DNA sequence: AGGTTACGTCAACGTCTGTAACAAATTTGC
DNA sequence: GCAAATTTGTTACAGACGTTGACGTAACCT
């Protein structure tokens, strides 16, 4: 099985010719512009990249001609002399389209090169997979039209789904949707062109990564409405399992002798920290349960407060297992948990400090995820546009 | 904190000039020779790399001149025409030195470019850290002398220790050795030059990776005498946590309400699957307990058999957590567990098939680790020589 | 107005790979 | 037994790229 590749480095097992040389240096220069906090001048690019002024000039010309960057007016550097010309990412040109399917909401999102959200739409999820995919296709087309109206061209589309994905296209199973073996990529292709399908927890983590860059490099993003997933970012790169089927935090055993789970195992985290367990009777309807739980907890409801404490402890146990195996320094509580973070952080941190072997030397920070419940759809859009950000040559070759 | 880098790809944030181009293609070509099962000809290299015959010729000339490869006599290809000249890795030239500290054994190992073990020595471990390090320095010098006698030059030294390592040098704590805050890298430097210190579980996994290449790409290698560690390899690359402090499988919670552990938590895997738990009263003396346990199990001792079943189940629970988070398709039982694998595999597999969410689609194979208890010292030596295998330019620049 | 800094352009140079022709070594065919 | 065919490896030349250094222009400051 192949899986979508989110690579930063150019392939290392490919011969390089002279033109790859130019492509590499162009990509390097462009990434400097992407990573710069403010408009950056040619001189600064030359210093930052180690290339010479003439080379930078040529590269900048190509980037300007391709519409990837714009000259953003004089940007003063220091004291005297000709002012530097600031270069910034263009707000027109390539864009990424993200789609997301949650328990009862579909969403679509367009982001431009700068990472700004240019379009965001929601719709209720129809019952069947076919209807939901048709609806997503319609939302995607509308988003593309809205993008075109702002001189944006969608260069890549990613769909987030709550379940493991095979070959970047086939949803093997998504219990909360009632899906099994749905080839979502093939279904959307006629309307939207090639669509990469990926796990929502992974994409949410990518969303938090891109949105926070370059502050966060190593973290795990807990993500979940009813299924609890974990997206793992290490060294600024999303970590996928061998077959892309990782991230099932909800089925990590918290107590191997615990109660049975629908998955066939016993004592799964899902049973302690799932929204249904915190608020029994909560039907699958996203965020309303989280909001309801938040309200009850704020009102001091003792049962809900106790359930939240249990949930946080169980999350802490599962996260301790994760961090003992792959140490990260930050835990982001995302999805519905971002709304409940204030009720969970204390008990999560308590278990982490007890159970993480190196917590004495290297404390783990637990925080709500900045992007919250919409991280997945934004991460989907960002991961689509990120291909251009990492390799602008593909866009230049196209134009 | 920085950590040792095991990188395959050349830095992506560096400008490339013409000479980097040559360096890249040389490295690419050399890796093809490394990965080839049999001697490979220039023309085969051209096809494999995508470079042209003249370019390959130049690169091969450089590699021959640098002593990294040799012409291994005519190797017939097919029918007619000039015969191909086989090229193989030289058995002289650069070599890697590995050192290992276990509970009561020190070991040293030299491997050449081909991955062949050219020198392997053992010694008992002295009590104190200072004595042990002095002893290791002596073993290292002897190994270097033995290497020199066979026209080998040690280009890198790696030390494996049973505990988390900071900055590639400082052993924060190693309970089974009674070490705390020992700067092993600095202690060995005067005698051996720069030494990279690394975790033994990680190095054992690297050893299994290099020894099995290219068969295994994604696996976890359980490694342990008394501490249970996990080395994780994904996509042919060793996975380290953000701060290099991962791999503590022994302190993953199997039952969060279980008995207290020395680490301060409760229900750690260590308590169920540690050698002391399988054979109560087993003093820390490596492999003798494993051998003793194996003997008792073979004799049908019911208590030991029951303990082995409990240990396997607990291992299965912890590994299920790992695989649910980061899916790998293979589990290697290494260290002492390689000797007990036949008693453990069944119960480990039972728990995996129950608890791994995707086990129905993607079964996980559990096997004894081929290199067994010596994987760490061999992995240490291999990781040292692997720097040359990945980037032969460093050796050529030196010579 | 003169000094200062940023930027573009040009030519010469060195290095690399690719293309194309050439030399070497073996098998095949008569 | 000897020449042609075939495959492998090497040499010669052309094209592409970045670097160096120099010159010219533009835009700000004192």
């Amino acid at each position: 099985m192949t899986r979508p590749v989110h690579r930063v480095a150019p392939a290392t097992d490919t011969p390089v010719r002279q033109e790859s040389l130019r492509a590499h240096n162009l990509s390097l220069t462009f990434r400097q512009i992407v990573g710069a906090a403010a408009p950056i001048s040619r001189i600064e690019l030359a210093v930052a990249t180690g290339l010479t002024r003439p080379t930078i000039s040529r590269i900048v010309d190509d980037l300007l001609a391709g519409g990837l960057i714009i000259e953003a007016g004089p940007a003063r550097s220091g004291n005297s002399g000709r002012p530097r010309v600031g270069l910034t990412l263009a707000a027109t040109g390539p864009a990424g389209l993200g789609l997301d399917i949650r328990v009862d909401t579909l969403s679509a999102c367009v982001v431009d090169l700068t990472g700004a959200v240019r379009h965001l739409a929601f719709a209720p999820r129809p019952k069947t997979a076919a209807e939901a995919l048709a609806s997503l296709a319609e939302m995607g087309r509308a988003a593309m039209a809205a993008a075109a109206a702002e001189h944006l061209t969608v260069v890549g589309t990613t769909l987030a789904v709550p379940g493991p994905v095979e070959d970047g296209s086939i949803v093997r199973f998504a219990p909360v949707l009632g899906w099994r073996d749905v080839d979502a990529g093939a279904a959307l292709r006629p309307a939207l062109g090639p669509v990469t399908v990926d796990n929502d927890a992974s994409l949410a983590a990518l969303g938090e990564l891109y949105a926070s860059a370059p502050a966060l490099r190593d973290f795990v993003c807990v993500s979940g409405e009813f299924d609890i997933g974990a997206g793992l970012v290490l060294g600024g790169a999303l970590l996928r399992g061998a077959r892309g089927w990782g991230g099932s935090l909800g089925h990590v055993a918290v107590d191997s002798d615990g109660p049975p789970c629908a998955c066939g195992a016993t004592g799964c985290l899902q049973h302690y920290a799932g929204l249904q367990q915190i608020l029994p009777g909560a039907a699958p309807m996203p965020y309303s349960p989280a909001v309801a739980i938040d309200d009850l907890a704020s009102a001091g409801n003792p049962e809900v407060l106790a359930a939240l404490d249990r949930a946080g402890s169980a999350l802490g146990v599962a996260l301790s297992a994760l961090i003992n195996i792959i140490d990260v320094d930050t835990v982001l509580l995302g999805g519905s948990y971002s709304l409940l973070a204030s009720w969970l952080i204390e008990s999560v941190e308590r278990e982490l400090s007890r159970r993480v072997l190196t917590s004495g030397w290297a404390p783990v920070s637990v925080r709500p995820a900045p992007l919250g419940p919409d991280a997945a759809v934004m991460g989907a859009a960002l991961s689509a546009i990120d291909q251009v950000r990492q390799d602008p040559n593909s866009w230049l070759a196209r134009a």
Side-chain angles (χ1 to χ4, degrees), chain A:
Chain A
M1 145 173 191
T2 57
R3 54 188 192 279
V5 191
H6 290 264
R7 81 176 141 76
V8 171
T12 182
D13 53 351
T14 303
V16 291
R17 326 191 186 310
Q18 278 83 346
E19 66 177 25
S20 346
L21 214 164
R22 167 68 151 275
H24 175 105
N25 285 338
L26 186 139
S27 166
L28 172 67
T29 304
F30 186 66
R31 287 198 303 266
Q32 285 290 337
I33 300 173
V34 169
I40 186 169
S41 76
R42 292 170 174 81
I43 290 268
E44 291 170 300
L45 283 173
V47 172
T49 59
L51 294 164
T52 59
R53 272 67 54 101
T55 305
I56 291 290
S57 269
R58 287 186 64 139
I59 289 172
V60 166
D61 282 349
D62 286 357
L63 291 172
L64 284 169
L68 285 172
I69 61 174
I70 54 170
E71 293 194 331
R76 281 271 4 104
S77 53
N79 16 22
S80 66
R82 176 176 173 175
R84 300 175 178 176
V85 177
L87 301 168
T88 325
L89 295 177
T92 57
L97 172 58
L99 302 170
D100 184 23
I101 181 162
R102 291 196 302 241
V103 173
D104 74 349
T105 309
L106 307 179
S107 47
C109 174
V110 174
V111 299
D112 61 22
L113 260 186
T114 72
V117 175
R118 304 289 291 272
H119 178 86
L120 186 56
F122 299 91
R125 177 173 76 97
K127 277 279 188 302
T128 73
E131 287 168 339
L133 287 166
S135 198
L136 278 172
E138 185 47 45
M139 293 175 77
R141 294 193 72 91
M144 282 181 173
E150 302 191 43
H151 303 288
L152 289 168
T153 306
V154 169
V155 292
T157 305
T158 303
L159 169 65
V161 295
V165 176
E166 202 172 294
D167 292 326
S169 185
I170 302 163
V171 183
R172 270 289 164 241
F173 58 96
V176 296
L177 303 180
W179 286 20
R180 257 190 122 75
D181 299 324
V182 175
D183 191 339
L188 293 176
R189 193 188 189 97
L192 303 178
V195 175
T196 300
V197 184
D198 206 345
N199 179 264
D200 60 350
S202 295
L203 289 171
L206 272 181
E208 301 291 351
L209 171 69
Y210 294 136
S212 79
L216 280 176
R217 301 274 302 165
D218 307 279
F219 63 92
V220 56
C221 179
V222 179
S223 176
E225 303 178 62
F226 293 90
D227 261 3
I228 305 172
L232 203 49
V233 172
L234 223 59
L238 181 65
L239 210 76
R240 296 162 182 290
R243 300 163 296 193
W245 291 8
S248 307
L249 193 67
H251 297 280
V252 166
V254 168
D255 176 351
S256 57
D257 291 329
C261 171
C263 75
T266 53
C268 294
L269 170 63
Q270 199 75 50
H271 183 268
Y272 301 90
L275 288 192
Q276 297 100 321
Q277 305 304 322
I278 301 177
L279 184 65
M285 44 170 175
Y287 312 128
S288 0
V291 171
I293 291 168
D294 190 35
D295 289 345
L296 288 169
S298 299
N301 182 307
E303 281 128 38
V304 167
L305 286 173
L308 280 167
D309 189 70
R310 277 198 306 276
S313 297
L315 261 175
V317 171
L319 287 168
S320 297
L322 189 155
I323 295 172
N324 273 322
I325 294 166
I326 297 288
D327 83 311
V328 292
D329 53 23
T330 303
V331 173
L332 296 180
L333 297 175
S336 296
Y337 297 109
S338 64
L339 304 175
L340 302 173
S342 57
W343 308 104
L344 296 169
I345 285 181
E346 191 184 341
S347 45
V348 170
E349 282 183 335
R350 185 178 60 231
E351 292 297 328
L352 289 180
S353 63
R354 269 187 70 200
R355 297 183 180 277
V356 172
L357 199 59
T358 55
S359 59
W361 286 267
V364 179
S365 154
V366 184
R367 314 201 276 273
L371 261 46
D374 295 329
V377 70
M378 293 177 60
L382 285 165
S383 87
I385 192 64
D386 198 58
Q387 295 175 10
V388 175
R389 298 212 286 202
Q390 297 302 329
D391 183 18
N393 295 287
S394 58
W395 169 260
L396 295 180
R398 207 207 65 123

